[in-house]
Amino acid sequence: AGVAEYRQIRERLYGSGLYDFRPHTLNIAGNDMRERRRMAEALAFHRLNAEMFPENADVQSWAGQTAQMSGDAALPASYYRKALQIDPAHPAALRGLGEVKK
């Protein structure tokens, strides 16, 4: 529900200055869900962030971290690889990819 609401608000108000649509906003929402142990919702927010900001290495790495924490076996590596395509020296993506390959 939160993802759908975000999409509606962004569609109507992007560029108005009323809301912060930068990557960190969705990261905060996803991390809040992670802290509450609501992993499906956390992953949904981080996946949305990765969709909205496909060229942001941090965003891709955050999605990988959440996918990894949710217990997904294959998804984290794809996000870490995407982060490394953008920034080959991204420390969190390098570390995460190393962890999921073990």
Side-chain angles (χ1 to χ4, degrees), residues 83-95:
L84 292 170
Q85 287 174 352
I86 299 163
D87 176 2
H90 195 280
L94 287 167
R95 184 174 48 255

Side-chain angles (χ1 to χ4, degrees), residues 5-83:
E5 186 174 345
Y6 175 87
R7 287 183 188 278
Q8 289 173 354
I9 291 170
R10 183 180 169 103
E11 187 176 311
R12 285 193 335 260
L13 299 172
Y14 187 80
S16 70
L18 294 174
Y19 289 93
D20 184 353
F21 292 105
R22 293 176 295 170
H24 287 293
T25 303
L26 285 171
N27 186 50
I28 290 167
N31 289 347
D32 183 55
M33 292 294 110
R34 268 192 345 209
E35 289 172 13
R36 295 175 189 214
R37 303 286 182 225
R38 295 169 61 179
M39 295 308 290
E41 290 100 333
L43 188 54
F45 277 113
H46 285 288
R47 290 179 86 156
L48 175 63
N49 209 11
E51 175 189 327
M52 294 287 162
F53 301 97
E55 299 304 317
N56 185 309
D58 289 332
V59 167
Q60 301 304 317
S61 182
W62 297 333
Q65 291 167 3
T66 301
Q68 187 175 356
M69 291 174 73
S70 72
D72 190 298
L75 189 58
S78 67
Y79 283 117
Y80 292 138
R81 284 189 192 103
K82 175 70 175 175

